[in-house]
């Protein structure tokens, strides 16, 4: 049981670091969603089922959806202005 | 190394990564993402502090009565609130990022140049 | 536009965070000095033990079993009893956080200039109503059974909001901010009235003045059900309102 | 219905916030009228409860009917009530100042939530509830700050959101750790713990986590990178709310945490010396940096922003000295700042609109066209500098006395305060002087009055208050001692909030 949690913990930390260093913003948002989902899984293992449902519904799904809507609007504004430096810095 | 210390170490690591991200990233969306990671880390810390090895979930069912050793329900109520606060801050932060991009034409934090300064002289607010 | 000093900043950030983690880590884990440290409060001494045995005043009965009734708080899910009843003012503050962020989003969002978007394919337009049906049923189940099974107003409202946003993405419904604002304020007003009713009958704000139900029954905790339904409506409306503002072309501003 | 008055005093802005959207359909200016009525009723309610609260010590509202450590209870004592009345007064004056400015329903909504959060922050006795209310306040401020000018507003708003997110998460972690060590979230219950002492290094981490959030709330040095953009980029009435309402609420909360929770309590026994050293260093840094930044600042509103940073630094220094005269000095300074700074900001906003530029060097000779407002500017800045015969003098005088008596940090702070006052004098009087200097003809014709005379009313009320309290402070000295006692006297606070020991579980040594 502990080994399983150690694996999940390292995957979450690796995801956290990946969010900072990955180039495209969209993949950063997806990785952030994955980290939130793994957090929901860890909440289930810690017997906090209420929190797991809320974290999955709000933290994982809706935050990622918001990030995608925002990045789409930035792309639309970027194309309209042409030269703006892209999110793929 | 029992389960509780693994949870605490994961929570601490996530918080450290979040703070590192806020300090070093120059892309405003990435700064918001690191705030989200910090918030997930703190939520994990709170629930881990309420965790009890072998404790049951704090729901009374036909098999589980309140005499059974239960996990602490109070941090769970606190984290329920904290997750929704994190969502609210993210939503407002993203809108401000959009406005920042529309007015500064760039997602970078370091946009303060002379072009910026002469912009400010012209605009009068209030 | 790579920042020239980016690697320097990264190293400096790493050093600062490393020192902070070391200091905080040693401070939290050193047990050499006397005094209560991290995680040292025994579970029976914690405030939450009174919530588990459902008796704030000291009482002989130390065990709550399924099917019993006559307790001060009658919902089976102890987390729900804390969120709704024991710390109800937190939840009111919680709903206000979402209310403030949805108002801030409507205040600040700019008019969107949509790029050429592809119309939703036939698969989408036929399958989304079905999916939404299940999503709404699941969401309302989670809200209504908040006091029995894990869940409650927040996750239920979020699930319903995700269904509504999905529908807005596919069908581009005309989005009228006033209708959402109305629903929001009515649900918010409902919570305040429930609180004031508590003040009238139970001489304190947000008091659960309903008769104690039987633990485990569907209609055991009326107060939890009513409050969670209002919170569910408010959370669903606010999150879908935020989602709409990110999607829709119309600026919510001139409508109000 | 015992607690109706106190409950209404708290949830009045909430009822308006929920009524606003419905009202917006009825009539465009409905929001403004509703707001004016709400704050007026709020002040009335507060005054009716003032005398009994000052005499008997006020009422405790147990939310949900649960006794103190188990439910959330709000203590409407002298400190909370006086702060609430001042918050409603400043909100009313801001609404009057905004009388001809058309604001959307969302702005009124956010403003009401900000007022509610400030009052609830002061009343609550539960740390987590304090965190939630501070979060509502910071989201409302972030929303309102970036609504006036998109360019500067989004820069300042982004810095504010990032700093608020970082700091509130540190406070939440500290609250979680404190709960895991003591098992309770109620400040009075924590303050009354005579059984156990926290491990000093653990207590230092928890204390710093909570204090960082309060430093952010009080715009102190390491956490206030957002000050210039927000003070210049948003409307002056909003900055008056930030400096006035945010200031008095932050002071009351800081005082409650420092005096009731951290100071000479059994829990933080060994660590309060270190924590007060941290508060002193932050205060001294904020005073010095705030004054220097204000000195070479060109924009009028930014100057006032930096001067707020310095003024809040004075309050922090006063509270760090501890003891009842430290509390008294802090409360005097907080009230004098809350009365003087909004007046300065209203005038700055009006002169910016009239002269068409934010830079105070372009406002030369404006005082000749508006002698009343320019005179009020000078009076308010004299009060902030602490010149006798103005209200600010009593606070600074009390502060300098108490600083001398509190060790090496007190001496350094004493030097910083003197140094700060000199700089304040320079940059405030330099601006005041430039209002009355001779200027070219076309400048004078450019200064045409804008908006109705009504905007001058709040300024005159505030200046009248400054002068009256400055010349005749005896009228409020007694109630101020009562407030300082409510802040410092831990036993009275615990007696009011916690029920009799019978309620605590028999075997459980909670």
């Amino acid at each position: 049981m502990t080994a399983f949690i150690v694996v999940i913990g390292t995957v979450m930390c690796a995801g956290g670091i990946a969010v900072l260093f990955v180039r495209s913003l969209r993949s950063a948002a997806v990785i952030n969603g994955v980290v939130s989902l793994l957090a929901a899984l860890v909440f289930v293992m810690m017997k906090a089922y209420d929190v797991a449902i809320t974290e999955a519904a709000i933290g994982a799904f809706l935050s990622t959806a918001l990030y995608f809507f925002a990045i789409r609007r930035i792309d639309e504004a970027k194309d309209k202005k042409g030269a703006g430096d892209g999110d793929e810095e | 190394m029992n389960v509780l210390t693994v949870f605490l170490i994961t929570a601490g690591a996530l918080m450290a990564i979040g703070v590192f991200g806020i300090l070093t990233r120059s892309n405003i969306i990435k700064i918001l993402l690191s705030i989200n990671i910090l918030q997930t880390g703190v939520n994990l810390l709170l629930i881990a502090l309420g965790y009890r090895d072998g404790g049951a979930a704090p729901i009374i069912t036909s098999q589980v009565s309140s005499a059974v050793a239960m996990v602490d329900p109070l941090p769970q109520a606190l984290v329920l609130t904290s997750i929704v606060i994190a969502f609210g801050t993210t939503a407002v932060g993203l809108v401000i990022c959009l406005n920042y991009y529309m007015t500064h034409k760039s997602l970078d934090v370091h946009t303060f140049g002379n072009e910026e300064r002469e912009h400010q002289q012209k605009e009068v607010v209030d | 536009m790579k920042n020239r000093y980016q690697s320097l900043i990264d190293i400096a950030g790493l050093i600062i965070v490393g020192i902070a983690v070391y200091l905080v880590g040693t401070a939290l884990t050193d047990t050499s000095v006397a005094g209560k440290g991290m995680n040292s409060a025994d579970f029976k001494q914690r405030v939450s033990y009174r919530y588990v045995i459902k008796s704030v005043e000291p009482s002989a009965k130390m065990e709550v079993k399924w099917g019993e009734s006559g307790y001060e708080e009658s919902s089976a899910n102890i987390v729900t009893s804390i969120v709704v009843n024991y710390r109800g003012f937190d939840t009111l503050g919680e709903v206000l956080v979402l209310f403030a962020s949805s108002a801030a989003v409507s205040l600040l969002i700019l008019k969107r200039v949509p790029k050429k978007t592809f119309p939703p394919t036939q698969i989408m337009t036929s399958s989304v109503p079905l999916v939404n049906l299940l999503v709404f049923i699941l969401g309302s189940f989670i809200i209504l059974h908040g006091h029995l099974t894990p869940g409650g107003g927040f996750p239920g409202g979020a699930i319903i909001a995700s269904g509504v946003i999905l529908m807005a993405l596919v069908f581009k419904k005309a989005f009228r901010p006033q209708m959402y604002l109305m629903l929001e304020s009515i649900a918010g007003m409902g919570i305040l009235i429930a609180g004031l009713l508590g003040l009238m009958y139970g001489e304190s704000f947000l008091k659960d003045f309903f008769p104690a139900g039987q633990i485990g029954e569907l209609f055991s905790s009326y107060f939890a059900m009513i409050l969670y339904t209002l919170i569910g409506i408010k959370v669903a409306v606010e999150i879908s309102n935020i989602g709409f503002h990110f999607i829709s072309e119309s600026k919510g501003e001139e409508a109000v | 219905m015992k607690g109706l008055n106190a409950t209404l005093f708290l949830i009045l802005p909430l009822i308006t916030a929920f009524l606003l959207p419905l009202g917006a359909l009825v009539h465009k200016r409905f929001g403004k009228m509703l707001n004016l009525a709400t704050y007026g009723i709020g002040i009335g309610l507060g005054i009716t409860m003032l005398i009994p609260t000052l005499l008997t010590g006020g009422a405790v509202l147990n939310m949900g009917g649960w006794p103190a450590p188990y439910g959330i209870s709000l203590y409407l004592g002298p400190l909370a009530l006086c702060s609430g009345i001042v918050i409603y007064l400043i909100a009313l004056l801001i609404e009057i100042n905004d009388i001809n400015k058309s604001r959307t329903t969302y702005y009124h909504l956010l403003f009401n939530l900000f007022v509610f959060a400030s009052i609830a922050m002061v009343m609550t006795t539960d740390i987590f509830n304090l965190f939630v209310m501070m979060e509502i306040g910071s989201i409302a401020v972030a929303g309102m700050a970036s609504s006036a000018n998109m360019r500067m507003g989004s820069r300042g708003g982004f810095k504010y959101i990032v700093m608020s997110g970082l700091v509130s998460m540190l406070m939440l972690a500290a609250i979680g750790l404190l709960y895991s060590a003591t098992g309770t979230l109620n400040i009075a219950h924590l303050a009354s713990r005579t059984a156990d002492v926290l491990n000093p290094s653990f207590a230092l981490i928890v204390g710093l986590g909570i204090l960082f959030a309060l430093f952010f709330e009080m715009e102190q040095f390491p956490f206030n990178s957002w000050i210039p953009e927000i003070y210049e980029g948003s409307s002056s009435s909003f900055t008056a709310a930030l400096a006035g309402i945010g200031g008095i609420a932050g002071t009351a909360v800081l005082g409650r945490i420092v005096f009731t929770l951290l100071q000479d309590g059994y829990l933080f026994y060994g660590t309060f010396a270190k924590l007060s050293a941290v508060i002193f260093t932050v205060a001294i840094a904020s005073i010095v940096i705030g004054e220097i930044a204000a000195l070479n600042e060109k924009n009028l509103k930014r100057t006032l922003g930096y001067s707020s940073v310095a003024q809040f630094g004075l309050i922090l220094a006063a509270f760090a000295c501890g003891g009842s005269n430290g509390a008294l000095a802090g409360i005097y300074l907080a009230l004098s700042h809350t009365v003087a700074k909004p007046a300065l900001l209203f005038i700055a906003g009006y002169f910016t609109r009239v002269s068409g530029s934010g830079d105070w060097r372009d406002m030369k000779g404006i005082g000749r066209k508006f002698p009343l407002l320019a005179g009020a500017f000078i009076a308010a800045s004299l009060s902030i500098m602490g010149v006798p015969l103005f209200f600010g003098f009593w606070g600074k005088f009390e502060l300098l006395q108490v600083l001398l008596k509190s060790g090496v940090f007190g001496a350094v702070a004493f030097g910083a305060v003197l140094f700060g006052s000199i700089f304040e004098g320079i940059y405030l009087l330099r601006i005041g002087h430039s209002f009355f200097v001779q200027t070219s003809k076309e400048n004078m014709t450019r200064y045409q009055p804008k908006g109705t005379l009504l905007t001058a009313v709040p300024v005159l009320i505030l200046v009248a208050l400054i002068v009256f309290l400055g010349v005749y402070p005896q009228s409020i000295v007694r109630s101020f001692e009562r407030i300082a006692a409510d802040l410092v006297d831990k036993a009275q606070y615990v007696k009011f909030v916690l029920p009799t020991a019978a309620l605590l579980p028999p075997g459980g040594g909670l």
Side-chain angles (χ1 to χ4, degrees):
Chain A
M1 172 63 169
T2 328
F4 183 56
I5 296 170
V6 166
V7 166
I8 290 188
T10 39
V11 169
M12 281 167 77
C13 295
I17 294 169
V19 163
L20 302 185
F21 290 101
V22 84
R23 297 191 65 76
S24 134
L25 279 181
R26 282 195 168 86
S27 36
V30 166
I31 296 169
N32 185 36
V34 166
V35 168
S36 295
L37 268 181
L38 284 177
L41 182 64
V42 171
F43 284 145
V44 168
M45 279 190 282
M46 288 204 263
K47 302 287 194 303
Y49 302 129
D50 271 77
V51 175
I53 294 180
T54 314
E55 172 70 17
I58 295 182
F61 173 75
L62 284 169
S63 299
T64 318
L66 272 192
Y67 277 111
F68 270 84
F69 293 153
I71 293 170
R72 181 171 69 164
R73 282 187 79 147
I74 288 175
D75 287 349
E76 283 161 3
K78 179 160 54 94
D79 292 349
K80 191 162 56 57
K81 270 190 290 303
D85 76 320
D87 51 357
E88 281 80 10
E89 59 197 12
Chain B
M1 185 131 85
N2 64 21
V3 179
L4 186 58
T5 40
V6 175
F7 287 140
L8 291 177
I9 290 169
T10 328
L14 274 177
M15 282 166 67
I17 292 167
V19 171
F20 173 75
I22 294 171
L23 290 183
T24 55
R25 288 305 99 189
S26 64
N27 183 320
I28 50 179
I29 303 278
K30 285 221 172 127
I31 294 178
L32 273 185
L33 282 166
S34 8
I35 293 181
N36 253 347
I37 291 175
L38 171 64
Q39 279 155 351
T40 315
V42 169
N43 293 343
L44 266 175
L45 176 74
L46 256 76
I47 299 283
L49 288 174
Y51 180 67
R52 187 183 193 171
D53 229 351
I59 297 169
I60 295 172
T61 60
S62 32
Q63 291 82 20
V64 175
S65 81
S66 72
V68 172
M70 278 187 177
V71 173
D72 189 341
L74 188 61
Q76 296 180 15
L78 304 185
V79 170
L80 264 177
T81 311
S82 149
I83 289 172
V84 180
I85 286 180
F87 177 79
T89 327
T90 314
V92 175
L94 274 174
V95 174
I96 290 179
C97 282
L98 286 179
N99 293 347
Y100 184 92
Y101 185 78
M102 300 303 174
T103 50
H104 292 74
K105 317 280 183 306
S106 125
L107 280 177
D108 204 303
V109 174
H110 316 292
T111 55
F112 198 88
N114 37 35
E115 173 256 342
E116 175 67 30
R117 206 166 285 113
E118 49 87 14
H119 251 297
Q120 263 157 2
Q121 257 60 39
K122 283 207 303 299
E123 276 146 34
V124 166
V125 175
D126 198 289
Chain C
M1 213 258 294
K2 197 77 184 129
N3 186 331
R4 284 196 309 283
Y5 305 109
Q6 187 59 47
S7 49
L8 271 184
I9 295 173
D10 287 354
I11 295 162
L14 205 62
I15 294 168
I16 293 171
V17 168
I19 294 171
V21 164
Y22 172 73
L23 288 179
V24 171
T26 43
L28 290 183
T29 48
D30 83 13
T31 51
S32 56
V33 189
K36 290 173 85 70
M38 182 168 69
N39 220 352
S40 58
D42 165 37
F43 274 73
K44 284 263 193 308
Q45 313 303 345
R46 295 189 183 194
V47 166
S48 59
Y49 184 65
R50 310 305 301 180
Y51 304 143
V52 171
I53 56 174
K54 285 196 190 309
S55 67
V56 170
E57 284 81 11
S59 74
K61 201 156 178 3
M62 283 299 191
E63 192 193 7
V64 176
K65 278 206 275 300
W66 175 271
E68 286 173 350
S69 63
Y71 289 100
E72 59 192 21
E73 214 291 329
S74 52
S75 60
N77 183 350
I78 299 170
V79 176
T80 305
S81 68
I82 296 176
V83 163
V84 166
N85 214 326
Y86 290 114
R87 298 182 67 90
F89 194 63
D90 263 356
T91 313
L92 178 66
E94 185 43 51
V95 163
L96 291 180
V97 164
L98 266 180
F99 195 33
S101 63
S102 128
V105 164
S106 328
L107 186 64
L108 296 177
I109 200 84
L110 290 177
K111 196 160 175 33
R112 173 175 162 238
V113 175
K115 206 168 59 171
K116 178 176 62 47
T117 49
F118 304 99
T121 59
Q122 180 60 26
I123 303 167
M124 284 292 282
T125 44
S126 55
S127 66
V128 158
L130 265 176
V131 168
N132 267 351
L133 181 66
L134 298 180
V135 161
F136 289 148
I137 292 174
L138 175 66
S140 36
F141 173 82
I142 285 181
I143 291 177
L144 289 178
H145 285 72
H147 56 288
L148 297 175
T149 60
F154 299 117
I159 288 167
I160 292 177
S162 52
V164 170
I165 293 177
L166 190 61
M167 215 159 41
L169 276 174
V170 171
F171 295 112
K172 292 267 185 309
K173 279 234 173 351
F175 156 64
R176 290 190 318 282
Q178 277 137 330
M179 191 258 288
Y180 281 88
L181 217 50
M182 262 359 96
L183 212 55
E184 238 178 316
S185 7
I186 290 164
M189 219 35 180
I191 295 175
L192 274 188
I193 288 168
L196 288 172
L197 279 178
L199 188 63
M200 251 197 308
Y201 292 114
E203 99 287 324
S204 60
F205 192 61
L206 285 177
K207 176 104 168 67
D208 171 5
F209 49 87
F210 287 94
Q214 195 185 10
I215 293 180
E217 292 305 316
L218 176 59
F219 289 104
S220 56
S221 171
Y222 305 97
F223 190 70
M225 276 180 95
I226 292 169
L227 220 59
Y228 256 161
T229 323
L230 289 171
I231 290 170
I233 295 169
K234 198 150 183 20
V235 167
V237 167
E238 260 139 30
I239 294 182
S240 48
N241 194 352
I242 291 174
F244 271 151
H245 275 296
F246 274 89
I247 301 168
S248 72
E249 285 84 14
S250 76
K251 169 129 176 46
E253 197 41 57
E254 72 278 5
V256 169
Chain D
M1 290 238 278
K2 188 163 53 55
L4 183 64
N5 260 353
T7 318
L8 270 186
F9 184 72
L10 172 68
I11 60 171
L12 213 51
L14 263 191
I15 296 172
T16 322
F18 289 134
L19 282 179
L20 270 172
L22 308 175
L25 290 177
V26 166
H27 179 272
K28 193 75 187 72
R29 295 181 60 79
F30 179 85
K32 196 170 287 303
M33 287 179 277
L34 199 63
N35 272 357
L36 285 172
T38 324
Y39 305 137
I41 299 170
I43 295 175
L45 259 176
I47 289 173
T48 54
M49 293 191 282
L50 190 59
I51 309 299
T53 310
L54 285 180
L55 295 181
T56 63
V60 177
L61 297 171
N62 287 333
M63 290 294 143
W66 309 110
Y70 306 110
I72 296 171
S73 45
L74 306 172
Y75 172 52
L76 190 61
L79 172 71
L81 188 64
C82 294
S83 315
I85 295 173
V86 169
I87 287 172
Y88 275 127
L89 178 70
I90 301 291
L92 185 69
L93 294 180
I94 287 169
E95 278 303 322
I96 297 173
N97 183 37
D98 270 358
I99 206 76
N100 49 23
K101 198 189 294 272
S102 73
R103 291 247 190 253
T104 62
T105 318
Y106 297 119
Y107 186 90
H108 285 308
L109 210 96
L110 285 175
F111 192 77
N112 274 329
L113 288 179
F114 178 62
V115 168
F116 167 78
S118 306
I119 295 177
M121 239 192 277
V122 169
M123 284 173 71
T124 184
T125 61
D126 187 276
I127 307 178
F128 185 76
N129 200 7
L130 176 66
F131 161 75
V132 172
M133 293 305 161
M134 284 163 89
E135 203 56 34
I136 297 175
S138 67
I139 287 182
V141 163
M144 288 190 283
S146 357
S147 65
N149 166 328
M150 207 53 80
R151 166 168 285 282
M152 268 181 283
S154 60
R155 291 176 69 87
F158 182 72
K159 286 184 193 170
Y160 188 89
I161 277 280
V162 169
M163 197 56 79
S164 148
L166 177 66
V167 156
S168 61
M169 280 308 125
L170 294 185
M171 180 175 181
L172 184 59
I175 290 173
L177 288 170
L178 191 62
Y179 173 74
S180 75
T182 57
T184 175
L185 286 171
N186 193 308
I187 295 176
H189 199 197
L190 286 168
S192 71
R193 305 291 294 266
T194 52
D196 38 20
V197 174
L198 284 184
N199 171 339
S201 43
F202 173 80
L204 184 65
I205 298 292
V206 167
L208 283 181
I210 295 175
L211 279 180
F212 282 173
L214 295 175
F215 292 155
F216 167 75
E217 190 73 25
M218 294 287 280
E219 304 171 10
Q220 286 309 284
F221 164 63
F223 304 98
N224 60 357
S225 56
W226 46 272
I227 289 271
E229 266 102 5
I230 282 194
Y231 267 84
E232 189 193 354
S234 58
S235 74
S236 65
S237 57
F238 167 69
T239 47
L242 204 58
I245 298 177
I248 194 96
T251 313
V253 167
L254 180 74
R256 180 62 66 201
I257 295 284
V258 164
F259 286 104
T260 314
L261 186 63
L262 299 182
Q263 204 191 24
D264 64 32
Y266 226 68
L267 279 180
F268 290 85
Y269 184 71
T271 57
F272 182 70
K274 293 196 204 95
L275 289 176
S276 70
V278 167
I279 300 175
F280 261 122
T281 21
V282 168
I284 294 164
S286 306
I287 296 170
V288 168
I289 289 169
E291 301 296 4
I292 294 175
L295 191 62
N296 52 36
E297 184 51 60
K298 300 296 172 284
N299 183 291
L300 181 55
K301 284 160 74 175
R302 283 185 183 220
T303 323
L304 296 175
Y306 285 124
S307 117
S308 310
V309 170
Q311 291 298 310
F312 291 142
L314 297 183
I315 297 171
L316 246 78
F319 281 161
C321 303
S324 67
N325 14 28
L328 197 62
I331 293 165
Y332 265 124
L333 283 166
L335 190 70
S336 77
H337 178 263
T338 306
V339 170
K341 186 52 62 65
L344 289 175
L345 283 164
F346 289 150
I347 300 167
Y350 189 75
F351 282 173
T352 314
R353 276 199 302 273
V354 161
S355 75
S357 118
D359 198 325
W360 59 268
R361 291 166 306 180
D362 299 346
M363 299 180 188
K364 281 201 171 43
I366 204 166
R368 292 170 179 276
K369 190 78 100 155
F370 306 97
L372 208 60
L373 287 181
F377 187 92
I378 291 178
S381 38
L382 286 177
S383 156
I384 283 197
M385 281 151 48
V387 169
L389 288 184
F390 289 93
F391 185 42
F393 166 71
W394 302 104
K396 210 156 248 189
F397 179 67
E398 196 78 30
L399 173 69
L400 293 178
Q401 276 177 337
V402 94
L403 279 180
L404 278 183
K405 289 201 284 291
S406 48
V408 71
F409 273 106
V412 173
F414 184 85
V417 168
L418 283 188
F419 164 84
S421 308
I422 299 163
F423 271 42
E424 258 162 31
I426 296 172
Y427 67 74
L428 283 175
L429 291 186
R430 172 175 68 177
I431 296 171
H433 166 67
S434 84
F435 285 158
F436 287 98
V437 93
Q438 192 66 24
T439 174
S440 63
K441 199 87 225 42
E442 57 86 19
N443 255 357
M444 292 310 283
T445 52
R446 192 158 53 93
Y447 298 145
Q448 298 311 332
K450 285 201 172 55
T452 66
L453 238 318
L454 214 52
T455 54
V457 163
V459 168
L460 296 181
I461 295 174
L462 288 172
V463 170
L465 215 57
I466 292 172
V467 173
F468 170 72
L469 292 177
V471 168
Y472 181 63
Q474 286 72 17
S475 61
I476 55 158
V477 162
R478 206 167 32 75
S479 53
F480 266 64
E481 255 115 30
R482 176 82 49 183
I483 294 175
D486 167 29
L487 195 57
V488 173
D489 182 355
K490 198 196 293 280
Q492 187 212 6
Y493 184 71
V494 169
K495 180 174 69 61
F496 258 99
V497 176
L498 282 185
T500 51
L503 263 184
L504 300 179
L510 254 190

